[in-house]
């Protein structure tokens, strides 16, 4: 693993390199206007690599959110009556503008989110793909005509938008988690009020600027950034305000449970995309080189801060030593730690101090119980920036009952466990309360089906560490959540079915 300190980064100078300055917004976007919070208060956003301030953003609170919900409710009256084709055309324009401005959007994302520039550019395209996809799906939100069991009657099912949607998104995908929800909602004919993560509001606000230019009508899309101090009040408003008919959240299981509980008071429809703890299993017949390569992306993408990333790696005892050696070698050669805007860097900082503390704690508890780091295990000594850097870390001899083995890590720790049989590893893989993604590597076709069916998860990667795309359903089972995003199913989360029973 290399460390890049080659270029001294000043975050404000880097921000000034954005070509289109009007993409950098610090006010909220409500009813098509850029507005400040009623209190006039702001909060600071920092570059997690340098800890330099990159801007002060208006700090919305309950009364500001209520105004946004009223605007969304007014806009819903006309937006729901637009044709699918009209919505599709607007979403396509938005998609084109996002792609045309992807360089600036990626730079902003790297500055506020630490994600290396190439990866941030990839996220912008991934995020845009949901707008394009759902723009097309708007035209395919078909209903049904059902053969009636009663003479002289006709039975019809129509799909209608649920109404105003409250959306709460995380810091790890500041663009794509917004577009995956808002794209589907707008396509369905819903209007939205979005609370982006307080660490990464700029990507959300830049998306609003482009939606405005695309001609998305005022009030259809609203973004209400708020500080960590206001997060729970704003979340409560979005989940309890009776005008809001649906809540969509991506984040931790504990917050998902809280928000679902709050939303139950007014019986809102909910989509919850929550925490994971993905097993990554390498069977004895796997292509070890492919598995090791895929694990790099699957574990260390976004510095391990993805909810589908490999959390527990299980390798068959007969290939264990070979795999650990190959993987460790690849990590050393392939990963370069530094500021995401520096040439060659593909591994940035963690985004938050609490994320850093969590992995330090998990690591200490694993090491105290006998684990050994064969690579990494600390902040890189030679890094010259003050941010939340931690080395990509590979661990062996980790016991099954330390937090690292049972809880989501959300950081660059990679514990590698031994197993001896298919039955044993499937049982260990399933022995957690969550079930978002799982991965395994084998060349045995029978095992492919057996294990894919047996894993208690919503998404499985077989001989690949990559599962995400706008065309397939994304979501989990058990405590990983409720509902599916993306794919032809994603729009249904924003539609109600209405039955018409017609006597002729
Ligand atoms: C997530 O980590 O929440 C999303 C990951 C993805 O869409 O691939």
């Amino acid at each position: 693993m290399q460390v890049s300190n080659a270029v001294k980064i000043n975050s404000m100078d880097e921000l000034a390199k954005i070509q289109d300055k009007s993409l950098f917004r610090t006010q909220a976007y409500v009813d098509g206007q850029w507005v400040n919070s009623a209190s006039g208060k702001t909060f600071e956003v920092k570059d997690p690599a340098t800890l330099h301030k990159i801007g002060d953003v208006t700090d919305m609170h309950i009364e500001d959110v209520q105004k946004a919900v009223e605007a969304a409710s007014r806009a819903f009256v006309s937006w729901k009556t637009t044709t699918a084709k009209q919505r599709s055309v607007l979403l396509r324009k938005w998609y084109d503008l996002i792609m045309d401005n992807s360089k600036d959007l990626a730079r902003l994302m790297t500055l506020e989110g630490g994600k290396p520039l190439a990866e941030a550019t990839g996220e912008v395209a991934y995020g845009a793909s949901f707008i394009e996809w759902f723009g097309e799906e708007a035209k395919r939100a078909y209903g049904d005509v059902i053969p009636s069991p009663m003479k002289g009657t006709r039975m019809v099912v129509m799909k209608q938008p649920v109404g105003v949607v409250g959306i709460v998104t995380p810091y790890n995908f500041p663009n794509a988690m917004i577009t995956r929800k808002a794209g589907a909602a707008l396509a369905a004919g819903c209007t939205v009020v979005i609370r982006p993560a307080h660490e990464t509001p700029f990507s959300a606000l830049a998306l609003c600027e482009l939606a405005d230019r695309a001609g998305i009508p005022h009030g259809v899309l609203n973004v209400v950034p708020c500080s960590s101090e206001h997060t729970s009040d704003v979340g409560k408003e979005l989940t309890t305000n009776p005008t809001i008919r649906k809540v969509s959240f991506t984040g931790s299981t504990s917050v998902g449970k809280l928000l679902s509980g709050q939303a139950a008071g007014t019986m809102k429809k909910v989509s919850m995309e929550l925490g994971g703890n993905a097993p990554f299993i390498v069977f004895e017949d796997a292509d070890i080189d492919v598995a090791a390569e895929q694990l790099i992306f699957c574990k260390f993408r976004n510095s391990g801060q993805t909810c589908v990333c490999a959390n527990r790696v299980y390798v068959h005892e007969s290939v264990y030593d070979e795999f650990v050696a190959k993987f460790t070698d690849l990590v050393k050669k392939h990963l370069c730690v530094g500021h995401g805007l520096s040439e060659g860097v593909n591994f940035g900082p963690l985004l938050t101090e609490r994320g850093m503390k969590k992995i330090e704690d998990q690591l200490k508890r694993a090491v105290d119980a006998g684990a050994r780091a064969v690579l990494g295990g600390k902040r890189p000594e030679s890094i010259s920036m003050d941010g939340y850097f931690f080395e990509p870390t590979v661990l062996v001899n980790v016991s099954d009952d330390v937090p690292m083995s049972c809880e989501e890590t959300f950081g660059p720790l990679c514990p590698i466990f031994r197993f001896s049989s298919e039955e044993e590893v499937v049982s260990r893989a399933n022995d957690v309360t969550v079930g978002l993604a799982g991965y395994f590597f084998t060349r045995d076709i029978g095992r492919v089906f057996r294990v894919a069916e047996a894993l208690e998860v919503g998404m499985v990667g077989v001989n690949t560490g990559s599962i995400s795309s706008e065309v397939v359903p994304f979501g989990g089972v058990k405590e990983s959540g409720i509902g599916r995003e993306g794919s032809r199913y994603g729009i249904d989360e924003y539609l109600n079915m209405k039955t018409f029973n017609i006597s002729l």
Side-chain angles (χ1 to χ4, degrees):
M1 173 197 56
Q2 305 133 60
V3 176
S4 165
N5 287 313
V7 188
K8 193 114 190 97
I9 296 277
N10 176 309
S11 306
M12 287 311 270
D13 292 348
E14 294 301 327
L15 185 62
K17 291 183 192 161
I18 283 174
Q19 303 277 302
D20 182 344
K21 307 288 184 243
S22 58
L23 288 176
F24 182 68
R25 295 285 182 174
T26 57
Q27 291 172 295
Y29 184 70
V30 174
D31 208 7
Q33 310 300 316
W34 295 103
V35 298
N36 291 325
S37 59
S39 68
K41 285 190 181 148
T42 58
F43 64 100
E44 214 175 81
V45 180
K46 288 183 180 164
D47 176 341
T50 58
L51 303 190
H52 298 163
K53 178 170 114 174
I54 49 175
D56 290 303
V57 175
T58 195
D59 189 4
M60 304 294 266
H61 202 204
I62 297 171
E63 57 185 310
D64 307 303
V65 176
Q66 285 167 345
K67 283 192 188 139
V69 174
E70 283 158 25
S73 178
R74 281 192 304 274
F76 180 60
V77 176
S78 52
W79 184 245
K80 71 177 175 189
T81 65
T82 52
T83 64
K85 172 84 176 171
Q86 285 170 324
R87 296 195 294 279
S88 182
V89 167
L90 289 172
L91 288 169
R92 176 73 209 193
K93 283 190 188 150
W94 193 16
Y95 163 81
D96 287 337
L97 284 164
I98 295 171
M99 291 308 291
D100 292 348
N101 289 278
S102 69
K103 277 195 173 154
D104 280 347
L105 294 177
R107 175 168 285 270
L108 261 183
M109 192 190 295
T110 299
L111 281 167
E112 67 179 348
K115 195 171 275 195
L117 192 61
E119 208 179 321
T121 307
E123 185 188 329
V124 173
Y126 177 49
S129 74
F130 292 106
I131 304 291
E132 181 193 40
W133 173 264
F134 283 116
E136 294 297 320
E137 284 301 292
K139 295 181 273 186
R140 289 187 274 273
Y142 306 130
D144 286 313
V145 179
I146 298 173
S148 172
M150 288 170 285
K151 231 179 162 42
T153 65
R154 298 290 181 270
M155 292 178 165
V156 176
V157 177
M158 184 184 275
K159 290 185 182 168
Q160 295 185 308
V162 297
V164 179
V165 181
I167 292 178
V168 179
T169 55
Y171 61 71
N172 61 337
F173 284 82
N175 175 307
M177 294 307 100
I178 289 179
T179 56
R180 189 153 79 184
K181 297 173 190 301
L186 266 55
C190 298
T191 57
V192 300
V193 178
I194 303 169
R195 191 239 63 186
H198 61 88
E199 295 90 349
T200 55
F202 296 124
S203 294
L205 296 168
L207 283 171
C208 292
E209 170 63 27
L210 297 173
D212 197 84
R213 289 184 205 169
I216 304 281
H218 293 175
V220 168
L221 174 76
N222 304 275
V223 169
V224 288
C226 70
S227 63
S228 57
E229 251 173 80
H230 290 168
T231 296
S232 65
D233 285 350
V234 167
K236 187 152 191 203
E237 185 59 32
L238 290 175
T239 47
T240 56
N241 188 313
T243 302
I244 293 182
R245 292 312 319 147
K246 152 126 198 151
V247 174
S248 181
F249 170 68
T250 294
S252 69
T253 295
S254 57
V255 175
K257 286 180 184 174
L258 178 80
L259 296 180
S260 299
Q262 289 172 180
T266 42
M267 209 44 84
K268 298 185 200 318
K269 206 171 154 96
V270 293
S271 293
M272 293 283 146
E273 202 271 275
L274 309 177
N277 187 344
F280 184 105
I281 306 167
V282 183
F283 284 101
E284 62 278 24
D285 62 340
D287 183 325
I288 301 296
D289 293 321
V290 169
E293 259 168 44
Q294 291 292 308
L295 183 56
I296 299 231
F297 167 82
C298 189
K299 173 69 242 184
F300 295 120
R301 170 165 82 122
N302 203 18
S303 301
Q305 301 167 110
T306 72
C307 51
V308 289
C309 73
N311 210 54
R312 298 165 288 152
V313 179
Y314 295 101
V315 181
H316 191 267
E317 57 192 3
S318 64
V319 290
Y320 185 88
D321 293 340
E322 181 191 352
F323 183 85
V324 171
K326 278 193 170 154
F327 177 63
T328 308
D329 207 39
L330 273 182
V331 175
K332 276 190 212 153
K333 282 196 191 122
H334 182 76
L335 293 185
C336 177
V337 185
H339 195 289
L341 292 174
S342 293
E343 189 71 30
V345 166
N346 55 12
F347 187 91
L350 289 170
L351 225 145
T352 67
E353 193 175 2
R354 66 181 186 284
M356 183 92 166
K357 288 205 168 115
K358 181 175 179 182
I359 62 163
E360 282 168 350
D361 179 61
Q362 278 199 355
L363 182 62
K364 182 175 180 318
R365 292 172 71 175
V367 169
D368 286 351
R372 182 167 59 87
V374 291
L375 186 74
K378 57 183 185 341
R379 183 184 155 81
E381 273 153 18
S382 54
I383 202 96
S384 62
M385 288 166 279
D386 293 333
Y388 310 121
F389 287 96
F390 202 87
E391 292 173 339
T393 297
V394 181
L395 294 139
V396 294
N397 210 23
V398 181
S399 105
D400 260 358
D401 50 16
V402 291
M404 191 189 294
S405 316
C406 339
E407 291 169 14
E408 188 172 31
T409 296
F410 223 64
L413 307 181
C414 185
I416 309 187
F417 305 88
R418 275 173 209 272
F419 73 91
S420 51
S421 75
E422 182 182 311
E423 203 187 3
E424 172 214 329
V425 77
V426 168
S427 152
R428 284 166 76 189
N430 287 339
D431 192 19
V432 285
T433 53
V434 291
L436 189 59
Y439 309 85
F440 64 93
F441 289 72
T442 179
R443 295 196 193 95
D444 175 337
I445 186 70
R447 178 176 272 161
V448 166
F449 278 91
R450 271 196 316 275
V451 176
E453 287 169 20
L455 286 178
E456 294 169 359
V457 295
M459 296 167 283
V460 183
V462 183
N463 296 326
T464 175
S466 161
I467 46 172
S468 307
S469 159
E470 76 278 21
V471 306
V472 290
F474 189 104
V477 299
K478 293 159 82 174
E479 294 191 14
S480 284
I482 300 170
R484 291 294 178 267
E485 299 193 311
S487 80
R488 72 188 168 96
Y489 304 103
I491 195 166
D492 287 338
E493 303 278 323
Y494 299 90
L495 292 165
N496 285 328
M497 278 193 266
K498 186 180 272 179
T499 300
F500 290 48
N501 190 359
I502 308 158
S503 177
L504 302 181

